[in-house]
Amino acid sequence: MKPLYVLIMSIALSTSYTMAQSCHEQTITNDSVISITEQPQYEVIKQLVDEPSTIIIDVRTPEEFEEGHIETSVNMPLQTLEDSLLPLKDYKNIVIVCKSGKRAEQAKTLLTLKGFTNVYNAGGWQTLDTKLKSKK
């Protein structure tokens, strides 16, 4: 009976070790959807906005946009964004802003699901505006 117990314990330990190793070595693929908790990649975005193939989209309401916005941004409210996708096909990079980054993340997810790549959530428009002005 003792050899059977040793055999079962050996198999159990071996299986546990193998499972732990496969979980530890597992890699996470990075696609173009970045979670809201990740900080915007300002250095990358600052370089992209100078390219003619980049558009900055502000997904706040028209009223919020009129109160202030990045000079080169285009207002495409989140509520109507899905109806305005066709003109975005002409751009290689899409940078999205809003007030805090939450609506920008929703817009980014929508665009990514619709097949757009190189979509960046730049967070709040005022933060990006300040960073863009400081680079000059």
Side-chain angles (χ1 to χ4, degrees):
M1 192 62 144
K2 191 172 185 177
L4 182 60
Y5 175 76
V6 171
L7 177 64
I8 291 173
M9 288 305 292
S10 297
I11 292 172
L13 288 173
S14 174
T15 304
S16 297
Y17 176 77
T18 305
M19 289 176 66
Q21 283 297 98
S22 68
C23 289
H24 178 69
E25 293 173 3
Q26 194 174 36
T27 58
I28 299 171
T29 7
N30 186 12
D31 62 4
S32 61
V33 177
I34 300 174
S35 72
I36 191 71
T37 56
E38 186 168 325
Q39 293 297 314
Q41 303 170 346
Y42 289 119
E43 293 308 312
V44 172
I45 292 169
K46 284 165 69 171
Q47 293 174 1
L48 292 175
V49 296
D50 289 334
E51 297 178 15
S53 60
T54 299
I55 184 171
I56 301 174
I57 300 174
D58 190 322
V59 294
R60 296 176 298 146
T61 65
E63 295 79 22
E64 289 175 294
F65 186 78
E66 285 303 314
E67 291 175 7
H69 58 271
I70 296 172
E71 187 177 328
T72 57
S73 65
V74 176
N75 186 222
M76 298 177 100
L78 180 60
Q79 297 81 358
T80 60
L81 183 61
E82 193 165 4
D83 301 329
S84 312
L85 298 180
L86 192 57
L88 299 179
K89 297 275 186 198
D90 297 334
Y91 295 95
K92 181 180 173 187
N93 304 300
I94 302 172
V95 176
I96 307 173
V97 296
C98 62
K99 183 177 180 179
S100 66
K102 291 179 184 175
R103 286 177 280 182
E105 185 63 28
Q106 291 173 349
K108 180 181 179 198
T109 300
L110 170 71
L111 293 176
T112 302
L113 291 174
K114 294 293 183 178
F116 289 89
T117 56
N118 300 324
V119 180
Y120 300 86
N121 175 355
W125 77 270
Q126 290 175 313
T127 303
L128 180 60
D129 194 38
T130 300
K131 293 198 180 284
L132 292 176
K133 287 177 180 173
S134 71
K135 81 172 188 172
K136 295 177 181 176

